[in-house]
Amino acid sequence: MDLTFSKDEVEFRDELREWLAENSPGEEPRGDEDAIFAFRTGWQRSLYDSGWAAVHWPQEYGGRDATLMESAIFFEEMGRAGAPLPANVLGLLLAGPTIMAWGTPEQKDRYLTPILSAEEIWCQGFSEPEAGSDLAAVKTRAVRDGDDWVVTGQKVWTSGAQFSKWCMLVARTDPEASKHKGLSYFLMDMEQEAVQVRPLVQITGEAEFNELFIEEARIPHENMLGEEGNGWIVALTTLMNERSGLGFFLQVRLRQLLDKLVAEAVANGSIDDPVIGQSLGDMLERTETLRLTAYRGLSTITKYGQPGPEGSLTKWLWSETNQMMTQLAVDIVGPQALHKDNPWAYELLRARGNSIEGGTTEILKNIIAERVMGLPRK
């Protein structure tokens, strides 16, 4: 595809750059989840007030009808400006597009605007303790009771659940059906006593992730997204948006991290070490590969109208490269990189979760092998 920006795309980029220059969010707090959430909520409301919260959404739902290339420009410019992700990133990138694809007119009217304005935060209830990211092994049960579904089960690695009003929940509604066919997709109200949220403290000291304990939570039937038993297909829409939407943001952040690491190597002279030089060259090659793979995903959406499984490759490559780069930082910066007040210590510890969050590397490899390379299951 032609990656040269058109006149309209240049104007879009320049308008966004000017807005970001005049509306810098400032330095994001670190280590205090409540302060980080408040900071990102304020940032999303600034974006919303100026019409930048979800440029990829249709205008009828509050977006800008941005083209795929303009959406890519948006995420790249956000990364370059050092802006944080908005508080309701899962709502904007996952819940919103999934509701637009599968929701009834009533569901779209009810849920989309509060997602955009950060009035209602969303989390994703897919992973389970004994199933990991394998949706086919989900054990959380939903049983029909009149106009409601009664849900019992446990979810894990649920980002932002402590701040969420709604949860994208996949539960088993037909235990007799084959694994992928017995699932349904619900929009679950988190504000009920039957849903308990327990934070999972990470090695960084933060608690971005949570466990959900669900004991006979009630979900109105009207909150089912898509048809009963069709949850696997609806969930794939969510997952494909997850892995393609963040690609442009992540690749810019990765390149910024590499530039900082090169500066460290130049400053302390380790750049003259041929092993260090070769390792930094490998990081540059990986970063550029990630950037081009993100644009390749853009080309797939242009051709077929939906994100393809190649988005899994972007997420796999980013997580592996980020972990390798932060490990290389220890070799370049030295022991002080392990000091708690050194920013590289935070990057090193935070990167450990990259191969779990947003789909484990093992699951992503299976998707790529079967759906991209066409390899048999066994």
Side-chain angles (χ1 to χ4, degrees):
M1 65 184 295
D2 182 5
L3 299 181
T4 305
F5 291 161
S6 67
K7 179 175 178 291
D8 289 344
E9 289 161 353
V10 170
E11 290 178 354
F12 177 89
R13 182 199 64 189
D14 291 347
E15 181 187 354
L16 178 57
R17 278 186 182 179
E18 183 178 350
W19 187 86
L20 286 169
E22 295 174 352
N23 297 274
S24 172
E27 191 70 22
E28 183 176 49
R30 180 168 288 180
D32 182 336
E33 290 80 24
D34 291 337
I36 293 172
F37 175 71
F39 179 82
R40 294 188 175 191
T41 299
W43 174 237
Q44 182 170 337
R45 286 179 179 157
S46 294
L47 292 167
Y48 173 69
D49 290 341
S50 301
W52 291 108
V55 297
H56 58 296
W57 284 25
Q59 284 191 8
E60 65 179 303
Y61 300 129
R64 286 195 172 215
D65 268 332
T67 64
L68 292 173
M69 181 60 79
E70 288 170 342
S71 296
I73 290 170
F74 174 81
F75 283 109
E76 285 195 323
E77 293 301 320
M78 292 283 284
R80 284 196 177 93
L85 290 171
N88 201 17
V89 64
L90 297 185
L92 294 170
L93 295 181
L94 308 185
T98 307
I99 291 170
M100 286 181 222
W102 294 96
T104 63
E106 292 77 16
Q107 288 173 330
K108 294 174 185 176
D109 287 343
R110 167 61 185 86
Y111 297 110
L112 293 180
T113 298
I115 288 175
L116 208 58
S117 63
E119 291 176 68
E120 294 180 345
I121 305 300
W122 286 69
C123 62
Q124 182 184 13
F126 284 14
S127 298
E128 295 191 359
E130 296 182 10
S133 299
D134 182 8
L135 281 179
V138 161
K139 292 183 178 178
T140 295
R141 289 282 309 278
V143 178
R144 186 74 182 261
D145 181 23
D147 292 332
D148 290 346
W149 289 86
V150 179
V151 180
T152 300
Q154 184 180 349
K155 299 291 180 179
V156 72
W157 307 121
T158 312
S159 305
Q162 69 270 48
F163 305 114
S164 294
K165 162 67 175 171
W166 296 100
C167 177
M168 297 166 268
L169 184 86
V170 174
R172 191 163 296 285
T173 49
D174 184 356
E176 304 300 324
S178 60
K179 287 187 174 181
H180 292 97
K181 294 182 179 178
L183 302 170
S184 296
Y185 195 115
F186 296 95
L187 312 178
M188 181 178 74
D189 190 343
M190 295 282 287
E191 295 178 353
Q192 52 181 310
E193 290 187 2
V195 180
Q196 297 295 317
V197 178
R198 296 182 189 174
L200 292 169
V201 179
Q202 304 150 226
I203 54 176
T204 60
E206 299 169 321
E208 297 174 69
F209 309 105
N210 301 273
E211 291 179 288
L212 293 188
F213 294 88
I214 307 167
E215 187 64 39
E216 297 187 346
R218 301 191 78 86
I219 304 177
H221 180 69
E222 64 188 26
N223 284 22
M224 179 179 284
L225 193 62
E227 297 179 357
E228 182 180 342
N230 203 34
W232 169 255
I233 302 299
V234 181
L236 284 181
T237 301
T238 303
L239 293 172
M240 291 303 105
N241 277 287
E242 177 180 22
R243 288 159 198 165
S244 63
L246 288 175
F248 291 94
F249 185 85
L250 295 177
Q251 58 95 2
V252 171
R253 283 295 175 89
L254 197 63
R255 178 54 191 265
Q256 289 175 330
L257 201 62
L258 175 60
D259 291 344
K260 289 180 182 176
L261 192 54
V262 171
E264 295 270 10
V266 171
N268 66 18
S270 61
I271 191 75
D272 296 326
D273 183 327
V275 175
I276 295 294
Q278 183 173 336
S279 297
L280 287 170
D282 180 45
M283 291 299 105
L284 177 60
E285 180 182 336
R286 283 174 164 270
T287 304
E288 280 299 291
T289 301
L290 179 62
R291 183 177 71 85
L292 295 173
T293 303
Y295 275 104
R296 183 182 179 189
L298 196 67
S299 179
T300 298
I301 301 174
T302 303
K303 287 181 180 177
Y304 303 110
Q306 288 287 332
E310 295 86 352
S312 299
L313 185 59
T314 306
K315 196 276 171 178
W316 170 22
L317 180 60
W318 167 77
S319 61
E320 188 175 82
T321 304
N322 198 43
Q323 289 178 344
M324 294 171 67
M325 193 181 299
T326 54
Q327 190 64 49
L328 178 60
V330 177
D331 297 333
I332 292 176
V333 178
Q336 60 267 37
L338 303 178
H339 192 279
K340 67 181 180 63
D341 293 328
N342 189 297
W344 288 108
Y346 175 84
E347 297 289 350
L348 177 67
L349 295 175
R350 181 61 186 83
R352 297 304 94 190
N354 293 160
S355 48
I356 298 175
E357 58 193 333
T360 67
T361 296
E362 290 76 12
I363 292 294
L364 299 179
K365 287 180 177 178
N366 282 339
I367 292 173
I368 293 163
E370 294 171 13
R371 301 186 59 194
V372 178
M373 303 177 68
L375 297 177
R377 286 178 175 270
K378 294 182 180 179

